[in-house]
Amino acid sequence: MARQPRSRRERPSKPALSREGIVEAALHLFHQEGLAKVTMRRVAAVLDTGPASLYVYISDTEDLHAEILDALLAGVAVPSSSADWRGRLKGTLRSYMAVLFEHPELARMAMSTMPSGANYLALVETILALLNEGGVPDADAAWALDLLLLYATAQAAEKAAWKASSRSPSEFSSLTVAIEAADAEALPNITRLSGDLLSGGGDRLDWAFDVLINGVLAARRAETKA
Amino acid sequence: MARQPRSRRERPSKPALSREGIVEAALHLFHQEGLAKVTMRRVAAVLDTGPASLYVYISDTEDLHAEILDALLAGVAVPSSSADWRGRLKGTLRSYMAVLFEHPELARMAMSTMPSGANYLALVETILALLNEGGVPDADAAWALDLLLLYATAQAAEKAAWKASSRSPSEFSSLTVAIEAADAEALPNITRLSGDLLSGGGDRLDWAFDVLINGVLAARRAETKA
DNA sequence: ACCTGAACACCGTTCAAGT
DNA sequence: ACCTGAACACCGTTCAAGT
């Protein structure tokens, strides 16, 4: 009654390791338990091997995390041509931020990891195309891309940090406390603006995007204004 | 010949623990070995005690690192009134960025830690005062502060990440590789702009600051332009 | 070439017990 | 109240050895 006697291993085909397989396992772990648990040791455990085995395909923990970020970036949606280029640009940036914001830990990672995967490149391509449609000269577009992406990423990271702050749920942040306790004589501007500083404001993001886009468009005209 | 027989400990006055003392030790460690070595265990070792002892004064590793960031921020210089407000604003931001840039690990920390120490508040006060001098309305100034500081921090973090990239010294980043290898048909804009994208450019920072400042000044006039 | 066990050199945080 | 030893539950990375 021996069945399949040609192999006596329990799981006859423990799949061979590969970068894709490792990334898949990492992604699974990420969705299940968050970025903090995506460690070399844990991913290796999922694949039923030791951490050392991963180093054939993955150079670093950072390498692994970058792969997760790019996978998530597949979820960035580009608004279809319903709106003008400015609207679509804002929509794209908002979608990018939404992805980062859904995963607080990811946002801060995006600040330091400098993604370079296929999905990130697609996002870059989309933004460049929109700027081109808006008449931004190529040389300016490259710098504008940086400005827009940097702002969106940083803003998402900040919001995410605020969201994930286990620090003091009631008082938004220690900054709030510091501002409210600010010495009115030494820090008159902070005292006077304390309300505005802590408002957060619903249209702040839209305001910022317009500041950036208008600024870029204005810079186009007068290139050498010093 | 017994000298000072009233105590037989080697170091008769191991100084009592205090938040200040702990921060001082952490700062020392930071300057000596970098942020990565500023761990609870190592700081405790410097103070000749165990890690558990620190938790009376320090809530977190994050708490400890935030304290280091604020201490470093004491080095931010505000240009004296030689230039106009715009020049002084740019100078202040540049000085802030220079501090972060000197310590690569610190820059990325600044993105996620949301400083709230005395030196950070002083920086905020300075920027608000300059915006006020430039005629930016209070409500706008609060948002502009955020925009400027976020950009400066993010840019410093990005530069720092690039600087500290042990990844591939010859090829700046994997992004460079990805861009150069980009499929010309699928990613036409990236291909066309690849030179500009990788240039880095010397006046990029100045260009960005002007985009931001001009954008803020323009937003003041037409508050509800949609 | 690929995979692995085992080791090296660390971490943050908690807690019961002491002073 | 403050301080501590010891433990708990982990890390990343390397390397000699195996297949």
Side-chain angles (χ1 to χ4, degrees):
Chain A
M1 272 225 179
R3 40 173 182 139
Q4 307 266 149
R6 59 208 154 97
S7 170
R8 56 173 52 89
R9 273 172 293 162
E10 311 287 295
R11 289 194 281 148
S13 57
K14 178 174 130 181
L17 287 179
S18 70
R19 183 167 240 264
E20 288 74 29
I22 294 171
V23 169
E24 195 186 350
L27 225 32
H28 189 80
L29 217 40
F30 171 74
H31 282 121
Q32 223 85 114
E33 322 207 36
L35 190 67
K37 298 300 176 75
V38 181
T39 67
M40 291 300 217
R41 292 182 109 104
R42 274 192 138 86
V43 171
V46 168
L47 295 169
D48 199 19
T49 183
S53 307
L54 306 186
Y55 283 84
V56 178
Y57 306 97
I58 307 285
S59 62
D60 244 14
T61 302
E62 199 181 322
D63 188 13
L64 195 61
H65 286 182
E67 208 66 64
I68 288 176
L69 175 58
D70 197 69
L72 269 284
L73 252 29
V76 175
V78 183
S80 53
S81 43
S82 57
D84 62 340
W85 71 272
R86 182 190 286 250
R88 274 177 286 143
L89 178 54
K90 283 190 197 177
T92 303
L93 291 170
R94 273 184 201 280
S95 172
Y96 167 68
M97 287 180 66
V99 168
L100 291 187
F101 191 48
E102 259 177 78
H103 308 279
E105 314 131 296
L106 218 87
R108 79 158 60 181
M109 196 185 76
M111 281 310 316
S112 43
T113 288
M114 275 286 196
S116 65
N119 291 318
Y120 182 75
L121 281 189
L123 174 63
V124 166
E125 173 67 19
T126 298
I127 294 174
L128 288 179
L130 287 168
L131 288 172
N132 186 53
E133 190 181 333
V136 176
D138 282 1
D140 285 9
W143 291 8
L145 169 85
D146 209 56
L147 189 58
L148 290 168
L149 235 28
L150 210 55
Y151 176 73
T153 308
Q155 188 71 57
E158 195 178 62
K159 268 201 167 147
W162 173 87
K163 180 185 177 190
S165 92
S166 54
R167 194 160 280 278
S168 27
S170 64
E171 51 203 28
F172 311 174
S173 66
S174 44
L175 182 61
T176 311
V177 185
I179 284 178
E180 274 163 2
D183 177 358
E185 273 182 65
L187 307 171
N189 286 282
I190 288 181
T191 307
R192 180 165 41 87
L193 294 187
S194 60
D196 295 303
L197 287 173
L198 300 171
S199 74
D203 281 352
R204 196 173 185 143
L205 201 58
D206 211 62
W207 177 87
F209 283 149
D210 275 323
V211 163
L212 293 174
I213 294 171
N214 289 340
V216 167
L217 289 175
R220 178 190 42 164
R221 298 236 174 100
E223 204 92 308
T224 38
K225 209 179 63 172
Chain B
M1 268 225 181
R3 38 170 183 144
Q4 309 265 149
R6 59 205 155 100
S7 168
R8 57 173 50 92
R9 273 172 293 162
E10 311 288 295
R11 291 194 280 147
S13 58
K14 180 174 128 179
L17 287 179
S18 70
R19 183 168 238 264
E20 288 73 29
I22 293 170
V23 170
E24 195 186 350
L27 226 31
H28 189 79
L29 217 40
F30 171 74
H31 282 122
Q32 223 84 113
E33 322 206 39
L35 191 67
K37 299 301 176 75
V38 181
T39 66
M40 291 299 217
R41 293 182 107 104
R42 275 194 137 85
V43 171
V46 167
L47 295 169
D48 200 19
T49 183
S53 307
L54 306 186
Y55 283 84
V56 178
Y57 306 97
I58 307 286
S59 62
D60 245 13
T61 302
E62 200 182 321
D63 187 13
L64 195 60
H65 286 182
E67 208 65 66
I68 288 175
L69 175 58
D70 198 70
L72 268 285
L73 252 29
V76 175
V78 183
S80 52
S81 45
S82 57
D84 62 339
W85 71 272
R86 182 189 286 252
R88 273 176 288 144
L89 178 54
K90 284 190 197 177
T92 303
L93 291 170
R94 273 183 201 281
S95 172
Y96 168 68
M97 288 180 66
V99 168
L100 291 187
F101 191 48
E102 258 176 79
H103 307 280
E105 314 130 296
L106 218 87
R108 79 159 59 183
M109 196 187 76
M111 281 311 315
S112 42
T113 288
M114 276 286 195
S116 65
N119 290 320
Y120 182 73
L121 281 188
L123 174 62
V124 167
E125 173 67 20
T126 298
I127 295 174
L128 288 179
L130 287 168
L131 289 172
N132 187 54
E133 190 180 333
V136 176
D138 282 1
D140 286 8
W143 291 8
L145 168 84
D146 209 55
L147 190 59
L148 290 169
L149 235 27
L150 211 54
Y151 176 72
T153 308
Q155 188 71 59
E158 196 179 61
K159 267 201 168 146
W162 172 87
K163 179 185 177 190
S165 90
S166 55
R167 193 162 281 279
S168 26
S170 63
E171 53 204 29
F172 311 174
S173 66
S174 43
L175 183 61
T176 311
V177 185
I179 284 178
E180 274 164 1
D183 177 357
E185 273 182 65
L187 307 170
N189 286 281
I190 288 181
T191 306
R192 180 164 41 85
L193 294 187
S194 60
D196 295 303
L197 286 173
L198 299 171
S199 74
D203 281 352
R204 195 173 187 143
L205 202 57
D206 211 64
W207 177 88
F209 283 149
D210 274 323
V211 163
L212 293 174
I213 295 171
N214 289 341
V216 167
L217 289 175
R220 176 190 44 166
R221 299 234 173 101
E223 202 92 309
T224 38
K225 209 180 63 171

